[in-house]
Amino acid sequence: MNEKNSNSMARVERYYQDYGLRARELKEEGKRFIGYFCSFVPVEIINAAGFFPFRLRGDVHEPITKGDTQLETIACPFMRSCFDLSLKGMYDFCEGLVIPHACDSMTRTYSVWRYSLGLPYSHFINIPHGVSEPALEFFKAELNTFRKSLGRYAGRDIPDGDLVEAIELYNKNRKKARALYELRKADPPLISGSEASRVLTVAMSLPVTEANALFDDVLAALRDREVSPLQKAPRIMVDGACIDNIDVFKLIEDSGANVVADNLCIGTRDYWLHVSTEGDPMDALSRRYLDKLNCPRTYRDKVGETYEEDLESRFGTMGALSREFKVDGVILYVYKYCDPFGFEVPARKAYLDSLNIPVLYLEDEYSAGTIGRLRTRIQAFLEMIG
Amino acid sequence: MNVYAVGIDIGSAFSKGVIIDDRKVLWSSVTPSRGDYKLTGNNLRDELLTRTGLSPKDIGFIVATGSGAKTVGFADAVRTDISCHAKGIYSLFPSVRTIVDIGDLYSKAFRIDENGNLLRFLLSGKCAGGSARVLKVIAKVLQVKIEDLGALSLKSNKRVDFNTNCAVFAESEAVCRIAEGAAKEDLLAGIHRALAAQLNGLAERVGVKKDYAVAGGGAKDEGLVRALEEVTGYPIIVPPEPQLTAALGAAIMAREAVKL
């Protein structure tokens, strides 16, 4: 492994441990950051407006203290952790915040975020819950509102050319992330799930050009690996919402499995889908973020006559991933009070059952304190499928 | 010949050890875990050896299980108590397909197939609600010995209904009912019914199929087992020593390892 390449993994580790480190450095140089979370925020628009989108992250090792003075514990614990860190000043380099109408916890707490943080720029993106043509039309209008609002804040209209350029940059970014996934198809995979997740998470805290360069370095470092450092073991896919701390992947891997694929936000949900570069860029963005993005917060009208056909139309992407990565089992990992995923647990399990893929459902609180309790369940699951 | 196999199960309340040869159980032991799991494990091993007149070199393989399994430094392998219970109960009752383990810390429900393979499992939540801990809490409130709970509960003919599934709230609810003049046996019958309903709910989520067996310390409470029979409508199989089934399963796994 050459020096530059081994450095890239060390850099990932540093950016992961000190999340926002690079953003703070760039802020000193006068660069401007807009914070966001969730897969539904079109980062291309933020980028085209001349800001760097920065994905807010929680910390399972940091007890939620300040945050709980303003949010009740019925809100999703992941979001409460992000809010807690924001109140504690961890993301002070962000001058703005964009929250989408994704789940209940985001929608109902937007005003709390807005008034508690008091940032110069805040915006809520309204997203319809269906994917019909009128819904797409509405969503496109909402994205235009966002584009105008951010342009006003930036003091300049966002030209189509800049938007197209940003779309191309992010498509490149997704292509590189996908190349990382390719290395996980080997048995044993060339990169562990926790390592991969660390790279994917860190990439969302960097300007997209820097993230792209980092992906290149990491890919080069991994291709230097002639032999995988991992052992052959059951191949696990993790399904769920946003996992931005690698602890759960580490736990699965320490219990004797390889995490080879995911159906998660900081994962295939974010990185798998390109924005079409044909036709109107706003059309392309609305289709990519509303229609193509597969998240339970969006209602998909029943397709077909039977429950099985309905499940296939809703979860087919998960089935395709499980085949592509030859997974032996799925761990469905959901935070307490996660409304979109919580309601879908039985249907997701039924779908995986229909594919004869063993599934373990774990409900967790966003806290490193629950690791022991999860370990027993994961070990038993691996003993069962092993 | 080191043909003997040992299973050690370090639970949160009790620890258990079983030593077997290629046919039968030679000795078994149940002891409180107390604070020091490592010491408890060592004592169990020593007791098994002393009682059978064997020496460490006679033991072919040792499997540890239970929440404290990792502390058993002398074990050759560690397996979860879910797999071990399944193994142990299947060896005793091959007709069993649904098992509910009523432990001190958690309760667990699991399904096994006709070959004893684990199909599905589910653990109760992270708190003590739905575990045998609630029986300890009530025994203390009522000043009844835990081993007498079952017989007393069976005397009830006017069950008090409990509204909570929480071990902490069950205590305060019990205190309220005592203040209202409820009899001990009626309170107990109510607690048993509430716990049985929770345990069966766990079992139904993994899919109940006959035969239905219980294990773990809670299974020694006949009042609870009767309540579970009423709730499920099934006869429930209770192993002769329900606390020992995971240790037995661990010992059988150890024996399989010797044979390999």
Side-chain angles (χ1 to χ4, degrees):
Chain A
M1 195 183 281
N2 69 42
E3 202 185 338
K4 185 184 170 208
N5 292 346
S6 72
N7 280 345
S8 68
M9 292 313 264
R11 208 157 80 234
V12 167
E13 172 69 21
R14 198 166 69 245
Y15 289 163
Y16 177 81
Q17 293 299 344
D18 189 358
Y19 193 70
L21 170 69
R22 184 67 187 135
R24 278 188 290 274
E25 284 171 10
L26 289 165
K27 171 86 178 167
E28 290 291 308
E29 296 169 19
K31 302 290 191 296
R32 302 174 71 178
F33 287 85
I34 301 275
Y36 74 98
F37 51 73
C38 180
S39 300
F40 276 90
V41 172
V43 283
E44 293 88 344
I45 297 180
I46 301 176
N47 201 274
F51 301 96
F52 293 130
F54 180 92
R55 189 177 184 124
L56 302 187
R57 199 185 133 200
D59 182 354
V60 296
H61 298 279
E62 167 78 21
I64 300 171
T65 49
K66 270 191 139 173
D68 280 356
T69 60
Q70 295 181 56
L71 286 179
E72 287 300 319
T73 50
I74 191 172
C76 141
F78 151 66
M79 206 215 52
R80 275 165 51 224
S81 176
C82 293
F83 180 63
D84 183 61
L85 295 182
S86 301
L87 279 187
K88 288 171 178 165
M90 174 139 169
Y91 301 127
D92 276 356
F93 51 83
C94 290
E95 62 188 277
L97 176 72
V98 181
I99 292 184
H101 177 23
C103 61
D104 262 4
S105 281
M106 287 183 207
T107 308
R108 319 265 173 226
T109 63
Y110 172 67
S111 63
V112 181
W113 282 87
R114 183 175 179 182
Y115 296 111
S116 303
L117 298 181
L119 296 173
Y121 180 78
S122 303
H123 188 83
F124 178 76
I125 303 178
N126 194 353
I127 305 173
H129 279 287
V131 292
S132 60
E133 282 307 314
L136 280 160
E137 203 177 306
F138 170 84
F139 183 52
K140 187 183 163 189
E142 266 297 310
L143 288 189
N144 272 319
T145 306
F146 174 44
R147 178 179 175 177
K148 273 191 207 119
S149 134
L150 193 57
R152 232 181 352 261
Y153 176 68
R156 68 183 195 105
D157 280 341
I158 304 168
D160 268 1
D162 289 7
L163 204 51
V164 170
E165 203 179 301
I167 287 172
E168 280 166 0
L169 273 174
Y170 275 97
N171 281 348
K172 253 188 218 162
N173 181 259
R174 292 167 187 138
K175 203 174 151 192
K176 291 173 199 292
R178 199 151 175 157
L180 195 66
Y181 279 87
E182 283 300 313
L183 304 177
R184 305 170 74 178
K185 287 185 178 169
D187 194 25
L190 276 176
I191 177 171
S192 71
S194 31
E195 249 181 325
S197 170
R198 203 159 25 210
V199 178
L200 299 171
T201 305
V202 158
M204 295 186 171
S205 71
L206 301 174
V208 64
T209 46
E210 288 195 19
N212 287 352
L214 183 68
F215 271 126
D216 286 341
D217 293 348
V218 167
L219 286 166
L222 293 171
R223 285 174 185 139
D224 278 355
R225 279 182 186 173
E226 278 164 11
V227 190
S228 168
L230 307 170
Q231 303 286 321
K232 273 198 181 193
R235 298 169 64 81
I236 299 295
M237 173 160 83
V238 181
D239 177 36
C242 186
I243 301 183
D244 57 358
N245 280 250
I246 62 164
D247 303 64
V248 64
F249 300 118
K250 267 192 79 66
L251 176 61
I252 297 168
E253 292 175 332
D254 290 347
S255 305
N258 287 321
V259 176
V260 297
D262 70 75
N263 191 32
L264 299 166
C265 302
I266 302 189
T268 56
R269 199 166 291 125
D270 260 357
Y271 282 110
W272 231 233
L273 305 166
H274 286 225
V275 177
S276 168
T277 47
E278 296 185 359
D280 174 42
M282 293 308 280
D283 267 336
L285 284 172
S286 24
R287 291 214 172 262
R288 191 270 184 198
Y289 281 93
L290 182 61
D291 189 16
K292 289 201 223 162
L293 205 151
N294 192 312
C295 168
R297 60 76 60 199
T298 306
Y299 171 69
R300 282 171 206 277
D301 216 1
K302 187 168 160 9
V303 179
E305 291 306 307
T306 63
Y307 185 49
E308 285 71 25
E309 286 172 296
D310 186 30
L311 291 179
E312 184 58 41
S313 78
R314 286 156 68 192
F315 309 122
T317 44
M318 183 157 56
L321 282 169
S322 70
R323 285 185 291 273
E324 198 176 341
F325 288 88
K326 298 193 169 60
V327 308
D328 299 312
V330 171
I331 294 182
L332 170 55
Y333 179 85
V334 177
Y335 297 126
K336 247 189 165 63
Y337 309 118
C338 173
D339 53 289
F341 278 90
F343 281 110
E344 270 206 345
V345 165
R348 295 180 102 83
K349 280 164 74 178
Y351 176 68
L352 291 163
D353 274 348
S354 76
L355 301 181
N356 284 321
I357 299 176
V359 54
L360 171 69
Y361 165 48
L362 297 176
E363 187 195 55
D364 199 12
E365 307 168 31
Y366 196 83
S367 158
T370 60
I371 290 288
R373 177 162 70 94
L374 297 181
R375 182 177 286 124
T376 314
R377 289 160 169 81
I378 291 169
Q379 283 172 347
F381 181 63
L382 295 177
E383 281 173 12
M384 188 175 87
I385 67 172
Chain B
M1 260 290 274
N2 50 356
V3 293
Y4 301 96
V6 167
I8 301 277
D9 173 13
I10 308 288
S12 65
F14 284 93
S15 293
K16 309 91 182 176
V18 169
I19 182 164
I20 57 176
D21 63 12
D22 56 356
R23 287 180 303 118
K24 60 181 189 303
V25 174
L26 300 179
W27 191 262
S28 64
S29 174
V30 179
T31 181
S33 296
R34 302 213 168 82
D36 189 340
Y37 289 174
K38 205 177 156 91
L39 181 69
T40 308
N42 289 341
N43 288 346
L44 270 174
R45 180 189 53 178
D46 293 347
E47 183 189 339
L48 295 177
L49 291 175
T50 314
R51 291 292 186 162
T52 51
L54 296 168
S55 76
K57 66 175 186 340
D58 296 319
I59 310 298
F61 208 85
I62 300 175
V63 169
T65 185
S67 50
K70 278 251 163 74
T71 63
V72 184
F74 55 81
D76 299 297
V78 170
R79 291 285 177 274
T80 60
D81 49 0
I82 296 166
S83 304
C84 290
H85 269 302
K87 191 72 144 184
I89 292 198
Y90 182 74
S91 76
L92 296 169
F93 307 101
S95 64
V96 166
R97 298 292 172 268
T98 308
I99 302 166
V100 173
D101 164 36
I102 312 159
D104 170 60
L105 200 55
Y106 302 116
S107 290
K108 311 176 186 87
F110 31 108
R111 274 283 312 279
I112 56 177
D113 69 11
E114 60 282 3
N115 300 313
N117 298 315
L118 189 59
L119 292 176
R120 275 191 291 277
F121 66 92
L122 201 63
L123 276 72
S124 58
K126 70 161 183 172
C127 67
S131 76
R133 181 66 59 91
V134 69
L135 299 175
K136 273 194 194 163
V137 170
I138 289 304
K140 203 173 144 208
V141 172
L142 299 180
Q143 298 286 303
V144 177
K145 280 196 209 138
I146 192 141
E147 54 270 29
D148 297 336
L149 290 180
L152 189 54
S153 160
L154 292 178
K155 286 188 189 151
S156 163
N157 51 22
K158 216 176 80 195
R159 191 179 68 226
V160 171
D161 281 328
F162 269 79
N163 295 319
T164 180
N165 291 329
C166 166
V168 177
F169 289 154
E171 181 172 1
S172 53
E173 198 171 342
V175 170
C176 288
R177 298 306 164 83
I178 294 169
E180 287 166 14
K184 283 183 182 185
E185 59 267 27
D186 297 333
L187 268 171
L188 274 176
I191 286 281
H192 280 143
R193 173 54 78 101
L195 185 52
Q198 257 184 296
L199 294 170
N200 188 54
L202 208 58
E204 283 186 345
R205 282 158 67 195
V206 297
V208 174
K209 195 175 172 205
K210 282 207 285 185
D211 288 345
Y212 197 134
V214 286
K220 292 171 75 176
D221 184 326
E222 51 192 310
L224 178 59
V225 174
R226 175 72 63 79
L228 195 56
E229 286 183 325
E230 283 171 15
V231 169
T232 59
Y234 288 130
I236 306 280
I237 294 175
V238 184
E241 291 179 273
Q243 273 175 298
L244 279 172
T245 49
L248 174 65
I252 294 170
M253 287 183 188
R255 184 170 65 197
E256 288 167 358
V258 174
K259 282 187 179 162
L260 293 173

